[in-house]
């Protein structure tokens, strides 16, 4: 009997689900997978050996306003653990009941420090997905220390300083896992998208986990380059005082961001994990402007991209034309091979093999302690 793997997937943005689906699709078909998430629709197509159990959100209040102890102080060992939310009680009970019934070989958390600790308390080996950011707090460190492995969905060269040796010793790096690493031809991409073949195209890329790219800085950049075509994909924050020129187009959310990136000459983006790796795979002069995230996740990823020489990183969006000009000059001087080296086309395959090995300890029909328990009963 092959023990199943449980997999919690956070529903903010798309990256958590996309990398989870890529890894699971690379797993051997005889390893059953059960996903737990608050939004089943965020997944791309999944293989037959994977199923999805919908649970209430751990982060959004229930429809009925809680009372009593909801205002109580949260311990340092937890991040989001309000009291009195029946939705959280039900989600935790669903996962705990599955632990007991399925007897999994492994539980992966992408991401929840609370569920990582739940797995450890329930005596289920777990793997914690590691993201950039200030994560030396007791809650994160308890999740990492209690894990049998840590999965980092980025290249080891982007690892931020200060990680303890015991963390890096059990970390598996999966650079670019979840993206399509194939290099697309610029001319073919433009033809498919109906874009002019000879134009200088600047693409602004916003991820799905935040409020979007501010439109006003893009109007400044586009007006400073009247002979270029500026395009944005993803959410855009509009402001009343923005004066968009004719060479700026907002396309909104698109299903094929890799094709738009391939069509571009230059790219400016946020620092979401999926966004970063799609652009790195293409290799383009690149400006990164991090969005606000918990624990300064995007800020740290941007810092490490800058330290690796892969992109020009800014603390905030350019506020005038000269700032854009200086940033693009620095981006054009970057060695683009430093971007493409951040991607491993086999990242999903090697990550799946690593998880399969970790889960293999329970690949027996029954464990002796359970046999004894059943005989006593």
């Amino acid at each position: 009997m092959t023990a199943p793997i449980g997999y919690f997937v956070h529903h903010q943005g798309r990256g958590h689900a996309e990398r989870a689906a890529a890894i699971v699709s690379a797993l051997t078909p005889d390893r059953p997978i059960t996903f737990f998430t608050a939004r089943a629709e965020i997944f791309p197509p999944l293989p037959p050996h994977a199923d999805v159990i919908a649970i209430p959100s751990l982060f959004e209040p229930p429809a009925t306003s809680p009372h009593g102890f909801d205002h109580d102080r949260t311990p340092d060992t937890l991040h989001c653990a309000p009291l009195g939310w029946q939705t959280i009680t039900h989600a935790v009970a669903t996962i705990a009941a599955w632990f007991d019934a399925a007897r999994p070989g492994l539980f992966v958390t992408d991401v929840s420090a609370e569920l990582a600790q739940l797995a450890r308390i329930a005596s289920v080996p777990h793997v914690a997905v590691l993201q950039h950011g200030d994560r030396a707090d007791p809650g994160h460190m308890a999740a990492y220390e209690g894990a049998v492995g840590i999965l980092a969905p980025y290249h080891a060269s982007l690892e931020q300083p200060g990680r303890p040796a015991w963390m890096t010793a059990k970390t598996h790096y999966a650079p670019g896992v979840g993206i399509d690493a194939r290099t697309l031809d610029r001319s073919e991409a433009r033809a498919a998208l109906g874009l002019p073949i000879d134009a200088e195209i600047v693409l602004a890329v916003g991820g799905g986990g935040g409020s979007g790219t501010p439109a006003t800085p893009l109007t400044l950049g586009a007006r400073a380059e009247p002979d270029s075509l500026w395009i944005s994909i993803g959410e855009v924050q509009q402001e009343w005082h923005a004066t968009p020129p004719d060479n700026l187009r907002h396309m909104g959310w698109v299903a094929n961001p890799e094709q738009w990136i391939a069509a571009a000459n230059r790219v400016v983006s946020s620092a979401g994990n999926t966004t970063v790796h799609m652009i790195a795979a293409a290799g383009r002069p690149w400006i990164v402007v991090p969005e606000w995230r918990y624990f300064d996740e995007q800020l740290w990823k941007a810092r490490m991209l800058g330290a690796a020489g892969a992109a020009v990183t800014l603390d905030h969006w350019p506020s005038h034309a000269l700032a854009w000009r200086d940033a693009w000059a620095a981006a054009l001087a970057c060695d683009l091979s430093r971007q493409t080296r951040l991607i491993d086309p086999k990242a999903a395959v090697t990550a799946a093999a690593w998880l399969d090995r970790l889960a293999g300890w329970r690949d027996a029909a029954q464990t002796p302690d359970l046999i004894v328990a059943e005989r006593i009963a």
Side-chain angles (χ1 to χ4, degrees), residues 46 73 97 121 150 155 163 195 214 226 254 263-264 307:
L46 295 172
R73 179 187 177 96
I121 292 168
I150 296 172
H155 197 279
R163 305 290 198 200
L195 297 173
V254 299

Side-chain angles (χ1 to χ4, degrees), residues 135-148:
R135 301 184 189 273
D137 60 275
H140 277 114
M141 297 309 286
Y144 303 145
E145 192 168 9
V148 297

Side-chain angles (χ1 to χ4, degrees), residues 22-60:
I23 292 170
V24 165
S25 296
L27 272 169
T28 174
D30 62 353
R31 178 75 68 188
I33 302 293
T34 296
F35 285 114
F36 297 89
T37 187
R39 286 182 56 201
E41 69 273 14
I42 63 176
F43 288 99
L46 295 172
H49 60 282
D51 68 332
V52 180
I53 296 177
I55 58 173
S57 172
L58 303 173
F59 316 102
E60 298 159 89

